[in-house]
Amino acid sequence: DLEYAQDADTLYITHTGHPVKKLTRSSHYIWGLQDVEFVGGPWMPDNDDIQAFMKASSFSKGAVTVTSSGNVSFVAVHSGSLLRIGTSNGYVRIDTADISTSAGGVVINTLQSASATGFTDNWSWGAWSKKNGFPQATQFFEQRLYFGGTKQEPQTVWGSAEQSYEDFTPGVNAADAVNFTIADNQVNAIRWISAGKSLAIGTLGGNFLMHSDSSSGPITPTNINIKK
């Protein structure tokens, strides 16, 4: 059930039930294995419930209390999740959560100041967590590190920023992180990803090729296509 992608002395290891691991080798006798601390995401779709609100006690980097209101609350498995609050790329890592409307965490990327003065319905959970699951498959392709297939989003593929394998900050520039959800008449979880002239994606119900929309050029956030 393990999949992996290797770049020289660094190996990224995936399993849908565990955080992505990074195995590193810096000499014959020095090895390390750790959870990857991804930057900037990736994110679930934005909250679409206008009666579900989040507020942080501070917008600056450091310890913070996040309060929810309305149709949303915290549960224990939210511990370790990323939470984007506001319209910028500011986000929090939730460290302690229980069945309540309050959770403790750390601001990783500075929030909009308005997020700390009032509730907002503009927020989204991180795509990878104990609550949503973790990627099943991984592969390097066109100077990006790709992941695919979680419990919550079994047909979604995420690609890192170009030449920055642990940065998943969303954007529309050519070098920004990318994501795409396979549209098919059946929901079949992604099981593997393989790199060739295109990025091949294997699911339980069929295989797909991912490439740019144009006849030439790399995949970018605005130039991406997947066909069965």
Side-chain angles (χ1 to χ4, degrees):
D1 290 334
L2 299 178
E3 295 287 330
Y4 61 86
Q6 183 173 352
D7 178 32
D9 289 336
T10 301
L11 189 77
Y12 292 90
I13 307 169
T14 59
H15 184 290
T16 190
H18 299 274
V20 177
K21 298 281 188 180
K22 180 167 64 173
L23 178 66
T24 57
R25 171 193 176 277
S26 53
S27 79
H28 290 314
Y29 308 105
I30 301 176
W31 295 69
L33 181 66
Q34 61 189 19
D35 291 351
V36 183
E37 294 187 13
F38 291 103
V39 176
W43 305 106
M44 295 285 289
D46 292 344
N47 167 56
D48 59 1
D49 186 344
I50 60 173
Q51 298 300 319
F53 305 98
M54 293 285 189
K55 181 178 75 169
S57 61
S58 172
F59 61 88
S60 301
K61 290 183 178 180
V64 70
T65 298
V66 180
T67 306
S68 66
S69 178
N71 297 335
V72 61
S73 60
F74 297 101
V75 293
V77 289
H78 280 136
S79 296
S81 300
L82 298 182
L83 175 64
R84 183 190 60 76
I85 304 176
T87 57
S88 70
N89 286 324
Y91 63 96
V92 176
R93 185 188 68 234
I94 301 298
D95 290 333
T96 56
D98 207 338
I99 303 175
S100 69
T101 58
S102 180
V106 177
V107 174
I108 304 298
N109 198 36
T110 303
L111 309 179
Q112 286 180 301
S113 57
S115 302
T117 59
F119 284 103
T120 177
D121 63 359
N122 194 320
W123 56 270
S124 61
W125 286 112
W128 307 338
S129 65
K130 288 183 286 186
K131 180 83 165 53
N132 296 325
F134 299 96
Q136 169 62 39
T138 184
Q139 187 59 259
F140 288 103
F141 183 65
E142 292 182 344
Q143 301 182 68
R144 300 181 191 271
L145 179 58
Y146 281 88
F147 294 96
T150 65
K151 177 181 67 176
Q152 190 67 28
E153 296 181 288
Q155 295 191 148
T156 297
V157 178
W158 299 269
S160 70
E162 192 174 283
Q163 296 183 325
S164 187
Y165 301 142
E166 297 174 15
D167 185 351
F168 283 81
T169 304
V172 296
N173 295 321
D176 289 337
V178 302
N179 71 78
F180 196 96
T181 299
I182 297 172
D184 197 15
N185 57 3
Q186 291 183 325
V187 177
N188 289 301
I190 293 170
R191 298 296 297 172
W192 55 262
I193 303 174
S194 180
K197 291 183 178 180
S198 298
L199 194 68
I201 303 166
T203 77
L204 295 175
N207 300 326
F208 296 80
L209 289 179
M210 180 174 172
H211 48 76
S212 63
D213 255 335
S214 59
S215 58
S216 62
I219 294 169
T220 72
T222 59
N223 187 16
I224 183 172
N225 191 16
I226 295 181
K227 291 185 178 179
K228 197 167 187 177

mmCIF file of all heavy atoms in Angstrom, residues 167-189:
data_model
loop_
_atom_site.group_PDB
_atom_site.id
_atom_site.type_symbol
_atom_site.label_atom_id
_atom_site.label_comp_id
_atom_site.label_asym_id
_atom_site.label_seq_id
_atom_site.Cartn_x
_atom_site.Cartn_y
_atom_site.Cartn_z
ATOM 1 N N ASP A 167 5.790 23.072 -1.526
ATOM 2 C CA ASP A 167 5.002 24.303 -1.542
ATOM 3 C C ASP A 167 3.747 24.084 -2.387
ATOM 4 O O ASP A 167 3.839 23.835 -3.585
ATOM 5 C CB ASP A 167 5.839 25.448 -2.108
ATOM 6 C CG ASP A 167 5.129 26.798 -2.049
ATOM 7 O OD1 ASP A 167 3.920 26.828 -1.732
ATOM 8 O OD2 ASP A 167 5.781 27.821 -2.323
ATOM 9 N N PHE A 168 2.577 24.179 -1.745
ATOM 10 C CA PHE A 168 1.308 23.987 -2.444
ATOM 11 C C PHE A 168 0.427 25.232 -2.357
ATOM 12 O O PHE A 168 -0.803 25.152 -2.385
ATOM 13 C CB PHE A 168 0.584 22.759 -1.895
ATOM 14 C CG PHE A 168 1.172 21.466 -2.394
ATOM 15 C CD1 PHE A 168 2.314 20.937 -1.805
ATOM 16 C CD2 PHE A 168 0.630 20.799 -3.476
ATOM 17 C CE1 PHE A 168 2.895 19.770 -2.271
ATOM 18 C CE2 PHE A 168 1.186 19.621 -3.956
ATOM 19 C CZ PHE A 168 2.321 19.105 -3.353
ATOM 20 N N THR A 169 1.078 26.406 -2.294
ATOM 21 C CA THR A 169 0.331 27.666 -2.271
ATOM 22 C C THR A 169 -0.410 27.840 -3.590
ATOM 23 O O THR A 169 0.202 27.799 -4.664
ATOM 24 C CB THR A 169 1.283 28.856 -2.054
ATOM 25 O OG1 THR A 169 2.036 28.643 -0.860
ATOM 26 C CG2 THR A 169 0.498 30.151 -1.937
ATOM 27 N N PRO A 170 -1.741 28.048 -3.556
ATOM 28 C CA PRO A 170 -2.499 28.177 -4.805
ATOM 29 C C PRO A 170 -2.209 29.504 -5.502
ATOM 30 O O PRO A 170 -1.798 30.483 -4.878
ATOM 31 C CB PRO A 170 -3.957 28.109 -4.344
ATOM 32 C CG PRO A 170 -3.922 28.565 -2.919
ATOM 33 C CD PRO A 170 -2.601 28.120 -2.369
ATOM 34 N N GLY A 171 -2.431 29.534 -6.797
ATOM 35 C CA GLY A 171 -2.238 30.749 -7.576
ATOM 36 C C GLY A 171 -2.530 30.490 -9.041
ATOM 37 O O GLY A 171 -2.901 29.372 -9.433
ATOM 38 N N VAL A 172 -2.355 31.514 -9.871
ATOM 39 C CA VAL A 172 -2.625 31.389 -11.309
ATOM 40 C C VAL A 172 -1.373 31.581 -12.143
ATOM 41 O O VAL A 172 -1.425 31.468 -13.373
ATOM 42 C CB VAL A 172 -3.707 32.405 -11.751
ATOM 43 C CG1 VAL A 172 -5.033 32.100 -11.069
ATOM 44 C CG2 VAL A 172 -3.270 33.836 -11.447
ATOM 45 N N ASN A 173 -0.244 31.868 -11.515
ATOM 46 C CA ASN A 173 1.001 32.009 -12.264
ATOM 47 C C ASN A 173 1.513 30.638 -12.698
ATOM 48 O O ASN A 173 1.209 29.614 -12.077
ATOM 49 C CB ASN A 173 2.057 32.708 -11.417
ATOM 50 C CG ASN A 173 1.671 34.142 -11.086
ATOM 51 O OD1 ASN A 173 1.122 34.852 -11.927
ATOM 52 N ND2 ASN A 173 1.955 34.571 -9.864
ATOM 53 N N ALA A 174 2.303 30.619 -13.756
ATOM 54 C CA ALA A 174 2.737 29.354 -14.354
ATOM 55 C C ALA A 174 3.491 28.461 -13.383
ATOM 56 O O ALA A 174 3.414 27.235 -13.475
ATOM 57 C CB ALA A 174 3.597 29.638 -15.583
ATOM 58 N N ALA A 175 4.218 29.048 -12.431
ATOM 59 C CA ALA A 175 5.022 28.254 -11.499
ATOM 60 C C ALA A 175 4.278 27.884 -10.228
ATOM 61 O O ALA A 175 4.824 27.179 -9.379
ATOM 62 C CB ALA A 175 6.302 29.016 -11.145
ATOM 63 N N ASP A 176 3.026 28.339 -10.055
ATOM 64 C CA ASP A 176 2.261 28.057 -8.840
ATOM 65 C C ASP A 176 1.799 26.603 -8.790
ATOM 66 O O ASP A 176 1.810 25.897 -9.803
ATOM 67 C CB ASP A 176 1.047 28.985 -8.745
ATOM 68 C CG ASP A 176 1.434 30.426 -8.447
ATOM 69 O OD1 ASP A 176 2.534 30.641 -7.899
ATOM 70 O OD2 ASP A 176 0.632 31.327 -8.765
ATOM 71 N N ALA A 177 1.361 26.190 -7.620
ATOM 72 C CA ALA A 177 0.840 24.829 -7.435
ATOM 73 C C ALA A 177 -0.415 24.611 -8.284
ATOM 74 O O ALA A 177 -1.146 25.565 -8.609
ATOM 75 C CB ALA A 177 0.523 24.589 -5.965
ATOM 76 N N VAL A 178 -0.658 23.355 -8.647
ATOM 77 C CA VAL A 178 -1.808 23.008 -9.483
ATOM 78 C C VAL A 178 -2.648 21.941 -8.795
ATOM 79 O O VAL A 178 -2.150 21.191 -7.947
ATOM 80 C CB VAL A 178 -1.369 22.494 -10.875
ATOM 81 C CG1 VAL A 178 -0.522 23.535 -11.588
ATOM 82 C CG2 VAL A 178 -0.596 21.182 -10.752
ATOM 83 N N ASN A 179 -3.927 21.883 -9.142
ATOM 84 C CA ASN A 179 -4.761 20.757 -8.705
ATOM 85 C C ASN A 179 -5.870 20.544 -9.710
ATOM 86 O O ASN A 179 -6.283 21.474 -10.412
ATOM 87 C CB ASN A 179 -5.313 20.967 -7.293
ATOM 88 C CG ASN A 179 -6.373 22.023 -7.226
ATOM 89 O OD1 ASN A 179 -7.523 21.781 -7.588
ATOM 90 N ND2 ASN A 179 -6.004 23.217 -6.770
ATOM 91 N N PHE A 180 -6.337 19.313 -9.797
ATOM 92 C CA PHE A 180 -7.347 18.952 -10.789
ATOM 93 C C PHE A 180 -8.090 17.725 -10.284
ATOM 94 O O PHE A 180 -7.474 16.797 -9.759
ATOM 95 C CB PHE A 180 -6.682 18.639 -12.138
ATOM 96 C CG PHE A 180 -7.630 18.621 -13.307
ATOM 97 C CD1 PHE A 180 -7.788 19.737 -14.100
ATOM 98 C CD2 PHE A 180 -8.359 17.480 -13.619
ATOM 99 C CE1 PHE A 180 -8.649 19.732 -15.190
ATOM 100 C CE2 PHE A 180 -9.222 17.458 -14.699
ATOM 101 C CZ PHE A 180 -9.372 18.592 -15.490
ATOM 102 N N THR A 181 -9.406 17.717 -10.451
ATOM 103 C CA THR A 181 -10.221 16.563 -10.073
ATOM 104 C C THR A 181 -10.739 15.875 -11.325
ATOM 105 O O THR A 181 -11.326 16.513 -12.198
ATOM 106 C CB THR A 181 -11.401 16.989 -9.182
ATOM 107 O OG1 THR A 181 -10.895 17.581 -7.988
ATOM 108 C CG2 THR A 181 -12.256 15.784 -8.808
ATOM 109 N N ILE A 182 -10.489 14.583 -11.433
ATOM 110 C CA ILE A 182 -10.932 13.808 -12.592
ATOM 111 C C ILE A 182 -12.455 13.777 -12.644
ATOM 112 O O ILE A 182 -13.118 13.453 -11.652
ATOM 113 C CB ILE A 182 -10.381 12.372 -12.522
ATOM 114 C CG1 ILE A 182 -8.852 12.399 -12.591
ATOM 115 C CG2 ILE A 182 -10.962 11.505 -13.625
ATOM 116 C CD1 ILE A 182 -8.215 11.047 -12.327
ATOM 117 N N ALA A 183 -13.011 14.117 -13.796
ATOM 118 C CA ALA A 183 -14.455 14.040 -14.009
ATOM 119 C C ALA A 183 -14.759 12.714 -14.703
ATOM 120 O O ALA A 183 -14.327 12.483 -15.831
ATOM 121 C CB ALA A 183 -14.933 15.212 -14.856
ATOM 122 N N ASP A 184 -15.476 11.836 -14.026
ATOM 123 C CA ASP A 184 -15.812 10.531 -14.582
ATOM 124 C C ASP A 184 -17.182 10.150 -14.061
ATOM 125 O O ASP A 184 -17.654 10.674 -13.048
ATOM 126 C CB ASP A 184 -14.758 9.498 -14.157
ATOM 127 C CG ASP A 184 -14.801 8.244 -15.023
ATOM 128 O OD1 ASP A 184 -15.429 8.284 -16.093
ATOM 129 O OD2 ASP A 184 -14.204 7.228 -14.624
ATOM 130 N N ASN A 185 -17.839 9.219 -14.740
ATOM 131 C CA ASN A 185 -19.195 8.849 -14.319
ATOM 132 C C ASN A 185 -19.191 7.912 -13.118
ATOM 133 O O ASN A 185 -20.243 7.577 -12.592
ATOM 134 C CB ASN A 185 -19.976 8.213 -15.484
ATOM 135 C CG ASN A 185 -19.279 6.995 -16.059
ATOM 136 O OD1 ASN A 185 -18.245 6.577 -15.562
ATOM 137 N ND2 ASN A 185 -19.840 6.448 -17.128
ATOM 138 N N GLN A 186 -18.015 7.486 -12.686
ATOM 139 C CA GLN A 186 -17.885 6.692 -11.475
ATOM 140 C C GLN A 186 -16.775 7.282 -10.609
ATOM 141 O O GLN A 186 -15.818 7.859 -11.123
ATOM 142 C CB GLN A 186 -17.540 5.234 -11.805
ATOM 143 C CG GLN A 186 -18.658 4.455 -12.469
ATOM 144 C CD GLN A 186 -18.266 3.010 -12.696
ATOM 145 O OE1 GLN A 186 -17.103 2.716 -12.983
ATOM 146 N NE2 GLN A 186 -19.209 2.099 -12.563
ATOM 147 N N VAL A 187 -16.927 7.146 -9.300
ATOM 148 C CA VAL A 187 -15.875 7.595 -8.381
ATOM 149 C C VAL A 187 -14.927 6.430 -8.139
ATOM 150 O O VAL A 187 -15.278 5.469 -7.459
ATOM 151 C CB VAL A 187 -16.470 8.102 -7.049
ATOM 152 C CG1 VAL A 187 -15.355 8.484 -6.095
ATOM 153 C CG2 VAL A 187 -17.394 9.283 -7.300
ATOM 154 N N ASN A 188 -13.743 6.512 -8.744
ATOM 155 C CA ASN A 188 -12.741 5.468 -8.594
ATOM 156 C C ASN A 188 -11.466 6.076 -8.037
ATOM 157 O O ASN A 188 -10.875 6.975 -8.635
ATOM 158 C CB ASN A 188 -12.453 4.801 -9.945
ATOM 159 C CG ASN A 188 -13.609 3.938 -10.401
ATOM 160 O OD1 ASN A 188 -14.007 3.005 -9.707
ATOM 161 N ND2 ASN A 188 -14.163 4.245 -11.567
ATOM 162 N N ALA A 189 -11.031 5.586 -6.893
ATOM 163 C CA ALA A 189 -9.894 6.173 -6.200
ATOM 164 C C ALA A 189 -8.602 6.009 -6.989
ATOM 165 O O ALA A 189 -8.352 4.968 -7.599
ATOM 166 C CB ALA A 189 -9.736 5.524 -4.827
#
